[in-house]
Amino acid sequence: MSYLDCPNSTGDASAGLSPLADRLLAVRRGAVPLATLEARLVPQHEDAAYGVQNEMAHALRPMLGEVTGWKVGAPSHEGLPFAAPLHEATLFWGDTRLPGNSLRHYGVEAEIAYLFARDLLPRERAWSLDEVLDAVGSVHTAIEIIDTRFERPNSQPRLAHLADQGSHGALVIGEGQTAWRRLSPVSETVHLVLSDGRVIEHIGGNSAGDPRRLLVWLANHASARGLPLKAGTIVTTGSMTDTIFVPPGTTATAQIASLAPVTVILP
């Protein structure tokens, strides 16, 4: 299912939204992207940005389906992680030609994604690293496409973009590998090949360091927000290649370590 297959909501999903969530939802429904925000609308802390995300997660369900994925990242090896829930219609499995008119910007990122095979439901005790890793069923090469409901990427304060689903556009997920524990994300090779001739190849590259630490943080963060990780949830763990903005018509192929490659063709 793609964006274009999802009917626009005709119900009252927007009723009672905060001003920022209301404006972001309007853009999703076809309004002109936001050139800027009044200062009063910019979230002043992470909790405020996540509050807008929660509103949007509910309001977008009629349009984009249920939350079946997450993106998570961190600015440094010790930095506080950040996250955003992802809806079913923005997730594409296997080599994909994205539908036309679904996105306005194409920021390509190669990432490692983890598919959960067991639920990590809310509980009083925090989830541990071993428990979270035991719930992972497979690991995948993925390509996230960065987009925004603002007029330009990276044009607003950080927390405004965090509120806007962390600038998520689409996630294309390759075939998984179940024997994933032997992978060491910080020391694996990442390849990203673009049809304009550019080839990005290096070791590691995730600003967060080992992305497995992000999974533990996210398991507890998502649970506290009432959107726990469940079996079938895919979690992508941050760019290993930086964000490369490309024009329409570009083809991108990513491969990380021995994981199967995945290709996206942009409309």
Side-chain angles (χ1 to χ4, degrees):
M1 181 167 58
S2 75
Y3 296 100
L4 301 183
D5 299 321
C6 298
N8 288 331
S9 171
T10 56
D12 61 352
S14 60
L17 290 182
S18 65
L20 178 53
D22 186 64
R23 294 192 187 191
L24 292 171
L25 183 60
V27 177
R28 296 272 193 174
R29 290 174 168 171
V32 174
L34 303 171
T36 188
L37 286 178
E38 303 98 306
R40 66 181 179 86
L41 297 185
V42 177
Q44 298 303 300
H45 47 76
E46 273 79 2
D47 285 347
Y50 290 137
V52 174
Q53 282 189 8
N54 280 1
E55 292 181 271
M56 294 297 292
H58 174 74
L60 288 172
R61 279 174 175 151
M63 186 185 303
L64 299 179
E66 295 297 321
V67 169
T68 54
W70 283 83
K71 62 178 293 181
V72 62
S76 67
H77 292 207
E78 295 80 29
L80 178 68
F82 52 84
L86 311 181
H87 292 264
E88 179 186 8
T90 73
L91 307 178
F92 300 84
W93 297 83
D95 294 343
T96 297
R97 180 186 294 272
L98 288 184
N101 301 319
S102 59
L103 304 174
R104 294 184 307 108
H105 302 283
Y106 302 108
V108 176
E109 299 180 346
E111 309 194 359
I112 293 180
Y114 295 77
L115 182 65
F116 280 80
R118 296 208 303 272
D119 297 345
L120 294 173
L121 300 179
R123 67 181 192 183
E124 292 185 6
R125 188 173 76 259
W127 292 103
S128 70
L129 174 62
D130 287 342
E131 289 173 320
V132 172
L133 295 184
D134 283 345
V136 172
S138 56
V139 176
H140 308 245
T141 295
I143 299 174
E144 187 182 15
I145 307 299
I146 296 299
D147 193 21
T148 179
R149 272 45 66 182
F150 296 101
E151 190 175 87
R152 301 187 315 278
N154 303 316
S155 62
Q156 306 300 314
R158 179 183 68 86
L159 292 178
H161 287 293
L162 180 61
D164 180 29
Q165 208 179 17
S167 298
H168 172 71
L171 184 69
V172 181
I173 306 143
E175 182 181 349
Q177 183 178 114
T178 56
W180 60 268
R181 284 185 180 265
R182 64 191 179 193
L183 293 176
S184 176
V186 296
S187 58
E188 302 292 354
T189 301
V190 53
H191 299 265
L192 179 62
V193 179
L194 303 175
S195 56
D196 64 7
R198 282 182 287 177
V199 177
I200 295 90
E201 179 178 347
H202 56 245
I203 302 295
N206 192 324
S207 61
D210 190 337
R212 290 170 293 194
R213 79 175 181 93
L214 303 179
L215 298 179
V216 183
W217 178 87
L218 179 63
N220 293 295
H221 171 84
S223 177
R225 286 175 59 178
L227 294 168
L229 304 183
K230 296 182 179 180
T233 298
I234 189 79
V235 176
T236 191
T237 54
S239 178
M240 299 176 72
T241 55
D242 293 327
T243 305
I244 304 168
F245 284 93
V246 298
T250 298
T251 296
T253 299
Q255 182 173 18
I256 296 169
S258 60
L259 301 176
V262 66
T263 296
V264 63
I265 302 173
L266 304 176

